[in-house]
């Protein structure tokens, strides 16, 4: 066994010494990864939204949105702490790997109880049993978080192909779980889906952990330096980012009904999937911000300026495709989803805003402005709810789109103004 791990570590060091073209290669691999996921996730989204219908799908989207916002506290920022620590000291990987797994398990009981209470008392989900809520919570809180942590282990070593394997296996597992559920369930509903959703998540988690151990070695469970404060900052910032992305879904379902929530969730799911190439560029560049900024803040900022042109061009191409291909959705899901077409068209600028914001906040973290990044995300997420209430009242379901775009635009402006000020101070 030690020989296997030693051979894998030797390969790992060889990868670290590859030329600088690794960024371009990884961007291509990430983009290929996300493009393949688009087809798998599109099939998954089409099947589940079509079978559940707008109302039940709206409830499901609200449940997962609330759980995802809470799940960022699982592990207390262990994935981001691992990337921060190991990106500049590879020998710290195994102890950070072990620490992260312990923190995920330790935070699960408290968070699961809290999320269950929130869903039970605030969500109009009478068609979902208490057992199903617990299964959904465990799948996204424990299993999905562990899978993300496993991918972070490869992110820090810039091993894009290993992440591609995990992504494809886990998304295909989710799709096959749905296919089995549709085939073996007499009446497909949220309660039936919860059991298959849980089972697929468990299988994906087992594979992801074994895959990391095989390639990078086993975790070490020992005492590590406490990083409570930075972990809390990561958690709050990630929760705010998740709220900025998903808070609108449960609010729409609560105020306008689960059917309207289903229209919006289906439209946003399509647009978010189309952003995969943008996400690929962001993933490929993420670790580089730490490496360049470790030398100097100016190096990190200059690197971000090199990434921006590729990001902007890719985002604009995706936006045009989203606008002119929005009519396809009713053909895939049925005419009952026709109201989603206008929502998709209005979201055509979302890829550009997401890319600009992602680059900016990743750079802030890389140059040591984590607290500033956290404040930006908190303010943006807090602003979402009141603006959304106002917009829904005056503009209906399109008000949710206007809210998302306005809040994102203002956040992008503030983020890059801060970066400009940092760069100005460096010059002086």
């Amino acid at each position: 066994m030690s020989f296997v791990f030693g051979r894998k570590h030797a390969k790992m060091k060889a990868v670290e010494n590859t030329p600088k073209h690794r960024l371009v290669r990884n961007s291509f691999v990430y983009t290929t990864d996300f493009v393949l996921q688009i087809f798998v996730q599109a099939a998954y989204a089409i099947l589940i939204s079509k079978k559940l219908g707008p109302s039940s799908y709206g409830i499901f989207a609200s449940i997962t949105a609330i759980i995802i916002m809470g799940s960022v506290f699982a592990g207390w920022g262990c994935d981001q702490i691992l990337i921060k620590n190991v990106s500049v000291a590879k020998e710290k990987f195994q102890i950070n790997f072990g620490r992260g797994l312990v923190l995920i398990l330790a935070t699960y009981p408290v968070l699961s109880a809290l999320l269950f209470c929130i869903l039970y008392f605030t969500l109009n989900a009478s068609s979902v049993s208490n057992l199903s809520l617990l299964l959904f919570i465990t799948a996204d809180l424990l299993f999905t978080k562990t899978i993300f942590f496993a991918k972070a282990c490869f992110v820090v070593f810039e091993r894009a192909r290993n992440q591609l394997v995990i992504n494809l296996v886990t998304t295909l597992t989710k799709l096959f779980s749905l296919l089995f559920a549709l085939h073996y369930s007499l009446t497909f509903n949220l309660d039936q889906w919860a059991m298959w959703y849980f089972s697929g998540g468990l299988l994906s988690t087992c594979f992801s952990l074994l895959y990391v151990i095989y390639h990078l070695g086993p975790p070490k469970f020992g005492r590590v330096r406490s990083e409570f404060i930075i972990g809390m900052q990561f958690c709050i910032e990630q929760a705010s980012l998740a709220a900025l992305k998903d808070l609108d879904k449960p609010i729409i379902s609560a105020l306008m009904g689960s059917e309207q929530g289903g229209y919006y969730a289906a439209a946003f799911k399509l647009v978010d999937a189309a952003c995969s190439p943008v996400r690929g560029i962001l993933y490929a560049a993420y670790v580089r911000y730490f490496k360049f900024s470790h030398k100097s803040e100016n190096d990190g900022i200059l690197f971000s300026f090199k990434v921006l042109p590729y990001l902007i061009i890719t985002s604009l191409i995706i936006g045009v495709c989203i606008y002119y291909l929005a009519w396809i959705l009713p053909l895939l899901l049925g005419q009952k989803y026709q109201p989603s077409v206008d929502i998709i068209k209005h979201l055509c600028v979302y890829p550009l805003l997401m890319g600009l914001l992602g680059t900016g906040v990743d750079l802030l973290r890389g140059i040591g402005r984590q607290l500033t990044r956290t404040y930006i995300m908190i303010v943006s997420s807090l602003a979402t709810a009141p603006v959304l209430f106002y917009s829904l009242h005056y503009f209906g379901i399109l008000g949710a789109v206007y809210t998302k775009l306005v809040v994102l635009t203002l956040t992008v402006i503030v983020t890059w103004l801060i970066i400009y000020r940092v760069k100005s101070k460096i010059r002086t």
Side-chain angles (χ1 to χ4, degrees):
M1 183 66 71
S2 61
F3 169 76
V4 172
F5 290 142
R7 179 165 53 88
K8 293 300 175 182
H9 289 315
K11 289 183 178 180
M12 184 172 64
K13 289 185 177 296
V15 171
E16 292 170 16
N17 295 323
T18 53
K20 293 183 179 180
H21 72 271
R22 187 194 310 167
L23 177 62
V24 177
R25 184 193 65 196
N26 282 356
S27 295
F28 176 77
V29 174
Y30 280 126
T31 302
T32 303
D33 176 9
F34 286 123
V35 168
L36 291 173
Q37 284 192 64
I38 285 178
F39 292 103
V40 178
Q41 291 182 1
Y44 167 80
I46 290 169
L47 285 172
I48 193 168
S49 57
K50 190 172 184 177
K51 293 297 182 180
L52 288 177
S55 182
S56 293
Y57 184 65
I59 293 174
F60 174 65
S62 298
I63 290 173
T64 54
I66 291 173
I67 297 173
I68 287 172
M69 282 185 279
S71 68
V72 297
F73 290 93
W76 206 249
C78 60
D79 49 346
Q80 300 302 320
I81 291 175
L82 180 142
I83 292 174
K84 179 183 73 70
N85 291 344
V86 181
S87 62
V88 294
K90 298 296 188 293
E91 68 278 3
K92 295 182 179 180
F93 167 73
Q94 288 180 301
I95 191 66
N96 280 270
F97 182 29
R99 176 182 185 272
L101 293 177
V102 170
L103 285 174
I104 291 173
L105 288 174
T107 52
Y108 166 73
V110 176
L111 289 173
S112 60
L114 179 61
L115 286 171
F116 180 83
C117 293
I118 293 173
L119 290 170
Y120 184 82
F121 290 108
T122 64
L123 191 68
N124 181 20
S126 57
S127 60
V128 185
S129 68
N130 291 341
L131 175 60
S132 296
L133 286 179
L134 286 174
L135 292 176
F136 282 131
I137 289 170
T138 302
D140 281 334
L141 181 63
L142 183 60
F143 298 156
T144 302
K145 182 65 180 184
T146 304
I147 293 169
F148 283 164
F149 183 60
K151 289 191 289 186
C153 294
F154 290 113
V155 168
V156 74
F157 293 108
E158 299 185 73
R159 298 180 64 166
R161 282 177 291 185
N162 296 113
Q163 296 168 66
L164 184 148
V165 172
I166 291 180
N167 283 332
L168 287 182
V169 169
T170 54
T171 52
L172 284 172
T173 301
K174 182 184 289 187
L175 176 60
F176 284 125
S177 297
L178 177 57
L179 291 174
F180 281 120
L182 294 174
H183 181 73
Y184 290 105
S185 300
L186 297 177
T187 55
F188 183 72
N189 53 35
L190 288 174
D191 286 331
Q192 292 286 336
W193 173 228
M195 293 185 289
W196 290 96
Y197 192 77
F198 175 89
S199 300
L202 177 60
L203 289 174
S204 297
T205 302
C206 292
F207 168 80
S208 300
L209 287 177
L210 291 174
Y211 190 70
V212 172
I213 291 172
Y214 176 77
H215 284 276
L216 301 178
K220 289 183 179 179
F221 302 101
R223 291 189 62 184
V224 294
R225 181 171 57 87
S226 174
E227 296 184 89
F228 180 84
I229 300 299
I230 189 66
M232 180 177 65
Q233 290 180 8
F234 283 143
C235 289
I236 294 174
E237 179 256 314
Q238 287 181 314
S240 301
L241 189 59
L244 186 63
K245 179 181 177 182
D246 292 318
L247 183 61
D248 45 6
K249 297 179 182 66
I251 292 178
I252 292 170
S253 294
L255 296 181
M256 304 191 69
S258 56
E259 187 172 356
Q260 292 292 321
Y263 296 143
Y264 181 83
F268 185 78
K269 185 74 172 179
L270 177 65
V271 172
D272 191 52
C275 293
S276 294
V278 176
R279 205 171 287 114
I281 297 174
L282 294 175
Y283 271 56
Y286 181 61
V287 176
R288 293 295 181 98
Y289 290 121
F290 290 99
K291 291 186 175 181
F292 281 102
S293 300
H294 187 67
K295 300 176 182 177
S296 71
E297 290 183 341
N298 191 54
D299 286 345
I301 294 173
L302 290 177
F303 173 70
S304 70
F305 289 161
K306 294 179 181 178
V307 173
L308 276 179
Y310 301 100
L311 196 64
I312 292 172
I313 293 172
T314 304
S315 301
L316 292 175
I317 293 173
I318 293 172
V320 171
C321 292
I322 287 173
Y323 185 86
Y324 286 105
L325 297 177
W327 56 272
I328 293 178
L329 187 66
L331 297 180
L332 298 174
L333 305 184
Q335 291 303 312
K336 56 188 176 183
Y337 280 94
Q338 182 64 39
S340 297
V341 173
D342 285 341
I343 300 173
I344 293 173
K345 287 184 176 181
H346 282 80
L347 284 170
C348 66
V349 297
Y350 176 78
L352 177 62
L353 294 174
M354 187 198 77
L356 292 174
L357 178 60
T359 304
V361 295
D362 286 348
L363 175 60
L364 287 178
R365 176 175 287 172
I367 62 177
R369 300 298 196 280
Q370 174 60 39
L371 190 58
T372 302
R373 170 178 165 139
T374 302
Y375 286 147
I376 291 174
M377 291 295 99
I378 291 175
V379 173
S380 299
S381 61
L382 291 177
T384 298
V387 176
L388 182 58
F389 281 112
Y390 176 86
S391 298
L392 290 175
H393 178 72
Y394 286 97
F395 303 105
I397 191 65
L398 288 179
V401 181
Y402 302 149
T403 298
K404 185 175 290 292
L405 298 182
V406 168
V407 173
L408 279 176
T409 300
L410 293 176
T411 307
V412 168
I413 293 172
V414 171
T415 300
W416 282 98
L417 282 176
I418 293 173
I419 293 172
Y420 177 78
R421 288 189 60 186
V422 172
K423 186 169 178 57
S424 299
K425 289 181 179 179
I426 294 174
R427 287 178 179 176
T428 58

